[in-house]
Amino acid sequence: MTAHRRRAGDRSVHACFSVRETPGISVAVSEDGTGLAAAARHTAQRALAEAGRGYLGGRVELRTPRTPAHDASRPGASGTRRRRAVRRAADRAVALAVAATLRGDGAGVRVRIRPPL
């Protein structure tokens, strides 16, 4: 067992952002099956623009837990709610990571995934 092994019950999204002088956002996402890369890029661009730093770019690293596979037999099943919850948590984590980096704070942000109702 290694020191960096995730617990099975880990239900949070971890985001790191690093600023670059050149415009454009690059994204690295673990477990991307729900289009999180495009959403993370858009959220980072929006957060930079709202902070008055839209001319900057950067790199977003996003780590998420595995989302359940799509179940075609249950189209409205909890898997869809779970994927939405992960996406909302990822959006919050990226926005907070960008704001923290611009303030000069720590390396990353961890946001807990709210359980679907």
Side-chain angles (χ1 to χ4, degrees), residues 43-78:
T43 302
Q45 288 170 340
R46 187 181 69 233
L48 283 170
E50 288 176 359
R53 303 286 196 267
Y55 58 89
L56 293 174
R59 176 172 174 78
V60 175
E61 294 180 22
L62 193 61
R63 289 192 297 268
T64 63
R66 290 187 182 159
T67 56
H70 180 68
D71 187 3
S73 65
R74 297 181 61 201
S78 64

Side-chain angles (χ1 to χ4, degrees), residues 6 12-18 27-30 36 40-41 43-44 59-65 86-101 105-112:
R6 280 188 183 175
S12 62
V13 174
H14 185 232
C16 296
F17 181 76
S18 57
V27 181
V29 180
S30 68
L36 284 177
R41 182 177 298 112
T43 302
R59 176 172 174 78
V60 175
E61 294 180 22
L62 193 61
R63 289 192 297 268
T64 63
V86 169
R87 184 169 175 163
R88 283 192 304 267
D91 283 347
R92 286 193 309 273
V94 169
L96 289 171
V98 170
T101 300
D105 288 349
V109 173
R110 198 173 288 272
V111 173
R112 188 164 173 80

Side-chain angles (χ1 to χ4, degrees), residues 13-26:
V13 174
H14 185 232
C16 296
F17 181 76
S18 57
V19 177
R20 293 186 184 155
E21 294 294 322
T22 57
I25 305 290
S26 61

